Amino acid sequence: MLAVLRAQKLMQGMKDSPLDAVYTSNLPAEEVDDTSRTVALITDVRADLALPGNGDFHAQDKQVEVQIYYKLDGDDPDEFETKLKHLFIQNGWVMIDNRGHTVDPNTQQLTATFYFDYFEIETA
């Protein structure tokens, strides 16, 4: 399964989430300037081959970037982000990086960016 789809499914199933939508690859045009919703964008970063042997590979190391755009005047995101990190880690992901919070210069929305890695062993 594509790592972005695996991550999207995980985030969509999250209980008590402030997320209004979770997108992969790109944001729909109508979401780009909408500051009334909290949305996440998951994009592929890399997929490296792993566990070489017998002239082939037997696993893939997949990394995604998760960007969260918080609605203006939203609640403090700390509790949600802690739950999000636990969710990924408890489901076999490793957190590679946390880029912290920034403010989007166009929308003035608070944003957060995380990098997660999933090691997938090939079954076939």
Side-chain angles (χ1 to χ4, degrees):
M1 173 184 282
L2 287 174
V4 292
L5 297 179
R6 183 183 303 274
Q8 181 185 42
K9 183 177 178 182
L10 192 61
M11 291 177 70
Q12 286 174 331
M14 190 176 185
K15 294 182 181 357
D16 300 321
S17 170
L19 295 173
D20 294 302
V22 180
Y23 298 103
T24 61
S25 301
N26 59 29
L27 290 175
E30 63 272 11
E31 290 284 11
V32 172
D33 293 321
D34 188 349
T35 60
S36 67
R37 295 167 37 94
T38 296
V39 299
L41 174 63
I42 306 167
T43 54
D44 276 313
V45 174
R46 62 187 310 144
D48 295 327
L49 304 182
L51 298 179
N54 293 332
D56 205 352
F57 68 95
H58 302 282
Q60 292 189 60
D61 197 17
K62 300 176 178 182
Q63 190 177 103
V64 298
E65 178 185 73
V66 176
Q67 294 176 294
I68 302 169
Y69 299 86
Y70 293 100
K71 67 181 177 181
L72 290 179
D73 302 322
D75 294 332
D76 182 341
D78 189 57
E79 185 178 330
F80 162 69
E81 290 175 6
T82 299
K83 288 180 182 179
L84 180 70
K85 294 169 196 174
H86 282 296
L87 179 70
F88 271 86
I89 290 169
Q90 291 168 358
N91 283 278
W93 294 76
V94 175
M95 187 169 155
I96 301 299
D97 196 6
N98 175 353
R99 296 287 170 96
H101 296 97
T102 59
V103 175
D104 183 288
N106 297 322
T107 66
Q108 301 305 303
Q109 288 174 278
L110 181 68
T111 67
T113 304
F114 305 98
Y115 290 84
F116 294 101
D117 187 83
Y118 187 81
F119 190 80
E120 183 174 33
I121 296 176
E122 301 293 318
T123 57

